[in-house]
Amino acid sequence: MSIAFKPEETFRGDYRYRNSDAAILRFPFPFPEDRYMYSVNIEPHTRSGPSDVYLHAFDVDEHYIAECRDKAITLERDPGRCQVLPHMMMAQWDTLELLMESLSADYPALFSLTKEGDDFGSLWTWINRPLGIEQRFVFGDAETLPCEPFEYITRQAQGDFAICDQRDDNLYMDAGMVTSQADWSLEFDVGMSFMEWHGPVPLAHQTGVFERALKYLLMLRLGQPVRRLNWTMSINPRLDTSPESYPEWGPDRASVTPANAGEKVHLRVELQTLWRLPRSNAILFPIRCYLASLDDLARVPKWGKRLHRVLSTLPPQLVEYKGLTRYLPAALEWLAQRDDGAELPVGTAAGVTRLNAPVSG
Amino acid sequence: MMHSDIKSRPAYQALVPDLAGSRHLLVIEGDALPPGRLATLSNTFAPVADSLHTWLTGAPAVEGIAGKLWQLGSVEDVLDTLACATRGYGMGDRLYVLGTEPFLWSVAGAAALIGFGPGQLQLEHAGSLRRRVWCTHCHVTTENVTTGIVACRGCSRHLLVRDHFSRRLGAFMGVMVDAEAPGEIPAIEEVFA
């Protein structure tokens, strides 16, 4: 399998991000039923599932090169998007090892890792062909890399990464590389406990969801990663929807009309996986972001109709929390025109192998 | 109100001496003390008076306070004194802090840097509910905020003061209130008196 990268894509300014038909068909659509239901929905991260994005430990797709470049732009503007507390060096090496081993095993045509040994002090050679990188370094010696190991490897991966240190029966967000976040601030949250960083989430605390999730995660085992999907919506295919840059993208929310919603409004799905790290006993928490416009999604009739129904039943607190208030009516009006009320099968699978013709424009 | 649905908002409790500790340090923001609170504190801490030091900022000298009294000018003096601690603090030390929220978290942060763990620390809120607000856009903090919307000291944007709280920064999150509709700023009202 080869991936046709699209290095000319942009996620800001002229927004030259586009999904190919294949990318739309593999989109991790998150809604199995017609009404909105909140659930923790954690399941084993096996190399299978209703979308191709589940087939590998860390999914690499056609947007890889463009996303890595957008990440570099964001870091250039705001180096604080990568933060690592001083006691996390072991977890940094754990992360580098996990990513290099997984990527080179899953995508041997794109990445390769040659090791003279498995232990600290061994000479390793890392080749990243899409980004044109060849790096020889000593595993365990940060001086032999251009920057610290966590920043080094997560600059070469799509999506955000947090590392949670486990102590006192709790998880603390003690490191992060966060450049494509759904409106949360690493600078504000770094060092927080599990309950603290989930503090602003409405409704779920009252039902004990976070207590149960924390208990489950504290017992996460090495080699048995888990995953869940989370979602929100974004105007324009913008990765950097951070609170830091909210003054730049906030006005976009007021630009949506029933006429342009198909092109402007994007469903933003996060594939969140959780990995126990071997030496540090920390948990790596990658948050991989997928963007598809309403135009894209409506080309799969089941998804367009289902999205209309789910968004129609969203509790008002979640509309507010997810920041949809200003443009949800326009998005619903656009989607309603494409929902004939037909009964839809349960499940997230697209149910088609070819897309309908584009609907907007 | 101190109560919030947002779980990062800390809950505070009345200070009680931890008898498992061997040395006790009580740090009080004098200007935040309610009338009579010092007397009740002295009673509460009487069982550990022999191993108690009390650091009092701002307020005039007070007779009959439990333990050995030290007076410091301001929170900056407390932080400097902690940072230059002339004796090592250890497992047996207990730190009790009473004051406004910015005071509590300034002291807690300085104490954490010299090795105080969460189990060695108690915080009791007293006085004004004014907030320290951290701007998510320029990362500058604005002190003594009593209104629900405040102009950032760093970037001048009008920030909505959220309940989301960072212990590391000792501050609440401030987010531009008119980002989506520039210029539409709601009436500014005093809410953290």
Side-chain angles (χ1 to χ4, degrees):
Chain A
M1 175 200 61
S2 70
I3 302 171
F5 295 114
K6 302 195 289 184
E8 74 288 351
E9 286 181 314
T10 53
F11 298 87
R12 60 185 81 212
D14 56 0
Y15 292 110
R16 279 182 286 155
Y17 170 90
R18 298 291 180 274
N19 283 310
S20 67
D21 285 12
I24 295 171
L25 281 167
R26 75 197 295 276
F27 189 77
F29 190 76
F31 305 117
E33 295 177 58
D34 279 353
R35 66 191 176 91
Y36 175 75
M37 289 183 55
Y38 188 87
S39 65
V40 183
N41 63 309
I42 300 178
E43 61 181 12
H45 184 35
T46 55
R47 309 298 161 84
S48 64
S51 156
D52 282 1
V53 306
Y54 301 117
L55 293 185
H56 301 113
F58 300 93
D59 183 46
V60 173
D61 68 12
E62 63 188 21
H63 310 297
Y64 174 77
I65 294 174
E67 282 196 40
C68 290
R69 188 181 55 238
D70 193 73
K71 180 177 287 195
I73 294 169
T74 299
L75 285 167
E76 175 77 29
R77 296 179 58 186
D78 183 2
R81 301 295 186 87
C82 183
Q83 303 239 4
V84 186
L85 297 186
H87 60 281
M88 299 299 281
M89 185 51 85
M90 191 68 87
Q92 291 200 48
W93 287 111
D94 281 339
T95 302
L96 175 138
E97 178 187 50
L98 176 64
L99 277 162
M100 286 186 176
E101 292 200 330
S102 302
L103 291 171
S104 57
D106 286 343
Y107 303 93
L110 304 180
F111 307 99
S112 94
L113 178 65
T114 311
K115 307 197 286 189
E116 291 187 0
D118 290 328
D119 299 324
F120 281 166
S122 305
L123 185 65
W124 288 17
T125 303
W126 167 248
I127 296 175
N128 177 333
R129 293 186 187 91
L131 298 184
I133 292 170
E134 176 165 354
Q135 178 74 43
R136 286 158 60 83
F137 65 100
V138 176
F139 183 56
D141 181 357
E143 297 294 314
T144 62
L145 286 172
C147 55
E148 290 199 350
F150 177 69
E151 178 178 346
Y152 179 76
I153 195 58
T154 55
R155 275 177 177 270
Q156 300 178 45
Q158 288 170 272
D160 289 342
F161 292 81
I163 311 179
C164 306
D165 192 32
Q166 181 161 334
R167 57 182 192 272
D168 306 330
D169 283 333
N170 210 329
L171 296 172
Y172 294 87
M173 190 184 291
D174 286 350
M177 165 66 93
V178 179
T179 57
S180 59
Q181 70 268 49
D183 202 9
W184 64 278
S185 168
L186 177 66
E187 176 79 22
F188 193 74
D189 286 5
V190 69
M192 281 191 185
S193 72
F194 188 81
M195 293 302 164
E196 286 167 14
W197 88 68
H198 284 111
V201 183
L203 304 176
H205 285 280
Q206 287 74 358
T207 57
V209 163
F210 291 115
E211 280 85 355
R212 291 200 300 278
L214 176 59
K215 274 185 190 165
Y216 182 86
L217 294 177
L218 290 173
M219 295 187 292
L220 186 68
R221 297 169 86 168
L222 185 64
Q224 297 180 14
V226 297
R227 70 184 177 217
R228 68 182 291 261
L229 294 179
N230 193 22
W231 70 277
T232 186
M233 303 187 88
S234 298
I235 304 309
N236 299 322
R238 185 178 174 100
L239 290 174
D240 175 23
T241 51
S242 63
E244 276 78 5
S245 60
Y246 178 48
E248 292 170 30
W249 54 267
D252 297 345
R253 286 179 168 170
S255 72
V256 180
T257 66
N260 69 16
E263 181 190 345
K264 284 237 174 208
V265 178
H266 288 68
L267 183 62
R268 183 186 191 100
V269 174
E270 295 175 349
L271 170 56
Q272 306 180 340
T273 54
L274 293 128
W275 305 75
R276 177 69 68 193
L277 296 175
R279 299 173 187 78
S280 58
N281 197 45
I283 291 179
L284 180 67
F285 181 33
I287 305 162
R288 175 77 162 80
C289 172
Y290 296 85
L291 290 162
S293 64
L294 299 188
D295 273 350
D296 285 347
L297 294 168
R299 296 181 64 195
V300 177
K302 176 182 168 187
W303 289 351
K305 295 172 193 180
R306 172 145 295 152
L307 185 60
H308 173 239
R309 299 171 198 181
V310 171
L311 291 179
S312 304
T313 59
L314 206 56
Q317 298 95 321
L318 282 176
V319 173
E320 174 71 25
Y321 170 65
K322 290 178 185 287
L324 317 183
T325 310
R326 208 175 283 272
Y327 60 85
L328 186 60
L332 283 173
E333 191 176 328
W334 190 95
L335 287 164
Q337 293 165 16
R338 288 148 184 94
D339 183 2
D340 58 7
E343 196 172 319
L344 298 174
V346 171
T348 59
V352 293
T353 51
R354 288 187 55 197
L355 298 175
N356 284 354
V359 287
S360 268
Chain B
M1 281 299 293
M2 297 291 281
H3 172 75
S4 170
D5 284 339
I6 292 193
K7 303 296 175 190
S8 55
R9 182 87 168 88
Y12 304 102
Q13 289 179 335
L15 302 177
V16 186
D18 176 1
L19 300 179
S22 54
R23 295 182 299 193
H24 306 266
L25 175 58
L26 176 59
V27 180
I28 299 169
E29 183 180 19
D31 296 339
L33 268 176
R37 183 70 186 105
L38 208 51
T40 57
L41 264 181
S42 293
N43 286 335
T44 310
F45 279 80
V48 298
D50 290 345
S51 52
L52 175 70
H53 284 211
T54 299
W55 296 3
L56 184 62
T57 69
V62 181
E63 295 297 321
I65 193 167
K68 180 165 174 52
L69 176 67
W70 302 84
Q71 287 192 263
L72 294 103
S74 68
V75 68
E76 282 75 25
D77 299 313
V78 173
L79 304 185
D80 286 346
T81 311
L82 279 176
C84 314
T86 50
R87 69 181 175 101
Y89 292 95
M91 298 278 287
D93 282 289
R94 295 293 180 273
L95 176 62
Y96 313 85
V97 193
L98 183 144
T100 59
E101 208 155 29
F103 183 89
L104 296 179
W105 290 100
S106 293
V107 176
L113 279 180
I114 58 168
F116 277 89
Q120 294 173 272
L121 180 66
Q122 290 182 30
L123 305 176
E124 177 180 335
H125 184 269
S128 167
L129 292 173
R130 65 178 182 261
R131 294 180 167 189
R132 174 186 294 160
V133 176
W134 180 85
C135 175
T136 46
H137 315 300
C138 74
H139 296 180
V140 167
T141 52
T142 301
E143 300 284 348
N144 299 316
V145 175
T146 58
T147 49
I149 295 169
V150 65
C152 174
R153 190 174 60 79
C155 64
S156 305
R157 292 186 177 98
H158 283 83
L159 306 177
L160 175 69
V161 181
R162 296 184 57 200
D163 262 356
H164 195 21
F165 184 83
S166 161
R167 290 157 208 245
R168 186 178 70 87
L169 300 167
F172 292 86
M173 177 180 273
V175 178
M176 187 178 181
V177 72
D178 59 337
E180 296 181 21
E184 280 183 23
I185 298 169
I188 298 179
E189 295 173 12
E190 182 148 298
V191 284
F192 314 120

